[in-house]
Amino acid sequence: MLIGHGQKAWRIVRVEDLIPGDWSERAVQMWHDERMPDPWQRAPFRVIVTPVKGGDEHMMTVEPWHFITWHVLPEHYAICAECGEPAPCIGHLSAVEAAREIERASEAMELPDGFCPACREPITHRQKVFRFAGENLLNPLGSPMVRFHQRTKCRGAAAAYEEKWVAADASRERSLLTLRCEGFVTVHADGSGECHGRNDGIDCPNIYARHRMATSCAYLSHGCPKCPPGSRHGCRLASGLNTDGSPS
Ligand SMILES: [Zn+2]
Ligand SMILES: [Zn+2]
Ligand SMILES: [Zn+2]
Ligand SMILES: [Zn+2]
Ligand SMILES: [Zn+2]
């Protein structure tokens, strides 16, 4: 099978499953966090490829958090006449992306006020919303208050909007939609948590911010001083904690 990856065509020689002993530490951690399903759909694997015309084998390990960025090419794949890369080449893809961008912009312009830009459905009075005051960054003619449904389906678009909204005015504060912390969170048996990492959590903006990683304290190498020995639990924080992760 041929694949296009990194603007080149490759032939897949073989695909190897990795045994758990060969997984990266982070992959093992994710597997534990997902309660060790077997088989695990996201188990790491390795793809061995060569250039299409033959040559050295290259190996790539696909970790559970990787997005697969290659695409399958037909045996007689097309080459872009402009640049010689497998089609569609980057130039072509950015042209398509630009066309999509324009399409999205004009869709936003047609959206009536009071509709959610993510799902394009009306927002009722009873639905919770993410709201952003200030000029409308999707539609200059639209209402100055942009609102998204506060639900999973609309969250990604609301987060993307918040990125734009913060970029437009540095004095604006991020919400939990896009708030990040460089620290690591340890989660205790009662669902409370602590941030470690930079300044040992002192400058942690909020325990519910997106952290580099959250781990159950069951993995602390010397045991957890706060929890009963041997208590096993996941790495999900309880809701309603104080922003420093202590129980309220
Ligand atoms: Zn041919
Ligand atoms: Zn090209
Ligand atoms: Zn919505
Ligand atoms: Zn603990
Ligand atoms: Zn933190």
Side-chain angles (χ1 to χ4, degrees):
M1 184 166 83
L2 300 183
I3 57 170
H5 180 65
Q7 297 317 115
K8 276 209 180 89
W10 302 90
R11 183 177 304 282
I12 294 187
V13 184
R14 60 185 185 277
V15 176
E16 292 172 352
D17 286 326
L18 292 179
I19 55 164
D22 287 340
W23 293 358
S24 63
E25 229 171 276
R26 189 170 158 198
V28 173
Q29 176 70 53
M30 285 177 80
W31 185 53
H32 279 271
D33 290 349
E34 293 180 18
R35 294 164 200 266
M36 301 185 262
D38 184 26
W40 187 31
Q41 271 200 338
R42 301 203 286 158
F45 60 96
R46 199 175 269 165
V47 182
I48 291 94
V49 296
T50 61
V52 174
K53 302 266 177 281
D56 290 344
E57 290 193 348
H58 295 250
M59 185 184 84
M60 37 195 177
T61 303
V62 181
E63 298 281 8
W65 59 89
H66 284 167
F67 290 105
I68 297 205
T69 54
W70 68 64
H71 46 278
V72 175
L73 293 174
E75 197 61 33
H76 295 253
Y77 61 92
I79 284 184
C80 171
E82 292 291 325
C83 64
E85 289 175 358
C89 63
I90 285 195
H92 178 77
L93 290 177
S94 44
V96 170
E97 190 47 41
R100 268 198 211 126
E101 204 52 59
I102 291 168
E103 198 177 304
R104 271 199 290 264
S106 52
E107 270 177 14
M109 300 282 268
E110 287 160 11
L111 190 76
D113 284 341
F115 278 60
C116 168
C119 62
R120 310 181 64 80
E121 288 166 21
I123 297 173
T124 68
H125 288 292
R126 298 165 68 185
Q127 287 170 315
K128 287 194 179 172
V129 292
F130 298 113
R131 56 167 63 86
F132 301 94
E135 81 275 36
N136 188 318
L137 301 172
L138 295 172
N139 175 5
L141 305 176
S143 132
M145 173 77 78
V146 175
R147 299 182 310 151
F148 293 82
H149 288 115
Q150 215 180 95
R151 58 186 184 193
T152 318
K153 171 164 118 169
C154 307
R155 195 183 167 90
Y161 188 83
E162 184 166 285
E163 290 292 351
K164 280 191 192 175
W165 182 78
V166 172
D169 178 347
S171 71
R172 288 173 175 168
E173 284 186 18
R174 291 174 184 275
S175 74
L176 289 177
L177 277 173
T178 64
L179 202 58
R180 280 166 198 280
C181 175
E182 283 298 296
F184 296 83
V185 168
T186 304
V187 183
H188 296 292
D190 64 356
S192 66
E194 274 151 28
C195 175
H196 303 276
R198 255 202 344 195
N199 287 339
D200 229 5
I202 292 165
D203 56 8
C204 179
N206 191 311
I207 198 73
Y208 294 115
R210 184 190 287 265
H211 280 76
R212 276 213 278 180
M213 199 193 272
T215 352
S216 149
C217 68
Y219 296 110
L220 291 178
S221 47
H222 302 294
C224 177
K226 283 194 179 174
C227 300
S231 61
R232 291 193 56 83
H233 55 91
C235 56
R236 209 167 270 276
L237 291 166
S239 54
L241 300 172
N242 295 316
T243 56
D244 68 352
S246 59
S248 57

